[in-house]
Amino acid sequence: MSAKKKVLIINRRAPYGRSNARDSLDVALTCGVFELPVSLLFADDGVYQLLGEHDAQGIGQKNLSATMAALPMYDIDQLYVCEQSLKTQGLETSDLANAPTAVDQDAIQQLIKEHDVVLTF
Amino acid sequence: MGFFLWQNSWLQMIFTLIVQAAPYSHQSADTAYRFAKSLLDQGHSLHRVFFYADGVHTGSALASPPQDEPNIPERWQQLAQDHQLDLVVCIAAAVRRGVLDANESGRYSKPGHNLADGFELSGLGQLVEAIAVSDRTLTFGA
């Protein structure tokens, strides 16, 4: 594989209700397997993906938080969360698992600029 | 004209497209096709089209739209034939949605298979490889 591209994955959907979050995680883990550096940004309803200890049993879904917890094993440790979205959803960084870095609009612009590829889910 | 082409060649880029939108449900399924056609018309190259999530239905040979509507799978097939494109349908997303090739149909003992000619089932590794070698990767219909 040629020069390593830095990949930013932007997650904007709630963890359940549609397949975006699961699809995104699968892509992130595959990037990890192929040693492509990957950062994750959570924004809009996507911030809910960062809440720890989901219990998805009641809706017959697989629990995503267990997979999220495995991210560091794939060397995925650059996690960012949109400050504005957290505020909108009434959440604090202390509510979140995986210790993401809170970023404002300027920092998000910078993140997008720093990465070669941006994928949205 | 020659000068124009020569000048243009500096701007030639390798693209990969990710199509997540189901055909006939979202405009972005259509936009992806027209974007692919435009970039090829302008002399760029398309390394791979990766159909993911509901986009896997694009690979169904059984799509039968009314005659006055575009046949989205056939249009991709034609484009692939004209430009030797690599149309990859995510295997995990496809088999759970009932888009199977002969191999997978056998593996799961299903009564038939419906992956259209010109499409190929493969894994997410194909997406990551495409990202690695392309100058631009665009997502349609997340």
Side-chain angles (χ1 to χ4, degrees):
Chain A
M1 223 172 265
S2 59
K4 295 218 164 139
K5 297 224 159 60
K6 285 177 72 182
V7 180
L8 175 66
I9 301 181
I10 304 181
N11 300 286
R12 302 183 57 193
R13 302 289 186 177
Y16 306 97
R18 45 198 301 164
S19 69
N20 296 53
R22 187 185 59 203
D23 296 338
S24 169
L25 262 180
D26 286 345
V27 171
L29 296 180
T30 311
C31 286
V33 168
F34 286 86
E35 293 176 351
L36 221 53
V38 56
S39 310
L40 308 181
L41 168 65
F42 296 84
D44 299 327
D45 283 356
V47 297
Y48 288 109
Q49 294 181 34
L50 290 164
L51 292 175
E53 303 298 316
H54 303 171
D55 180 6
Q57 215 180 1
I59 53 166
Q61 294 291 318
K62 285 184 195 158
N63 210 335
L64 283 179
S65 46
T67 319
M68 297 275 298
L71 288 172
M73 287 195 297
Y74 292 80
D75 290 324
I76 300 171
D77 49 15
Q78 303 294 308
L79 270 63
Y80 302 90
V81 61
C82 170
E83 214 170 59
Q84 184 61 46
S85 306
L86 276 183
K87 213 173 283 172
T88 307
Q89 311 295 350
L91 294 169
E92 313 254 347
T93 37
S94 56
D95 298 322
L96 309 175
N98 297 83
T101 307
V103 283
D104 62 13
Q105 301 301 310
D106 287 344
I108 290 174
Q109 279 184 20
Q110 198 53 38
L111 266 182
I112 292 172
K113 206 186 267 181
E114 278 170 7
H115 288 77
D116 302 298
V117 182
V118 179
L119 307 177
T120 315
F121 288 92
Chain B
M1 187 64 187
F3 175 73
F4 177 71
L5 285 175
W6 171 82
Q7 198 182 33
N8 232 8
S9 69
W10 289 98
L11 301 167
Q12 200 183 8
M13 284 199 283
I14 304 170
F15 284 81
T16 282
L17 308 186
I18 307 172
V19 181
Q20 298 198 49
Y24 306 107
S25 301
H26 295 278
Q27 179 67 35
S28 45
D30 221 52
T31 310
Y33 168 80
R34 283 182 292 112
F35 188 91
K37 204 167 174 329
S38 296
L39 76 88
L40 291 164
D41 287 347
Q42 289 182 30
H44 300 292
S45 68
L46 184 50
H47 180 71
R48 182 165 297 139
V49 184
F50 192 85
F51 297 92
Y52 196 36
D54 285 345
V56 298
H57 292 295
T58 313
S60 172
L62 301 180
S64 313
Q67 293 225 325
D68 58 351
E69 287 179 27
N71 188 315
I72 295 175
E74 276 180 14
R75 278 197 322 194
W76 278 111
Q77 279 176 310
Q78 189 58 52
L79 198 66
Q81 221 168 51
D82 295 347
H83 297 275
Q84 286 82 51
L85 298 183
D86 195 17
L87 306 180
V88 173
V89 179
C90 174
I91 188 164
V95 296
R96 54 159 74 88
R97 289 173 174 83
V99 177
L100 308 178
D101 62 7
N103 235 340
E104 297 308 303
S105 178
R107 188 197 312 275
Y108 296 103
S109 307
K110 295 296 177 187
H113 53 89
N114 60 338
L115 186 72
D117 289 342
F119 292 85
E120 176 197 348
L121 293 183
S122 194
L124 281 170
Q126 294 286 308
L127 172 60
V128 175
E129 188 268 347
I131 289 170
V133 302
S134 299
D135 299 308
R136 294 285 185 275
T137 302
L138 284 90
T139 304
F140 291 85

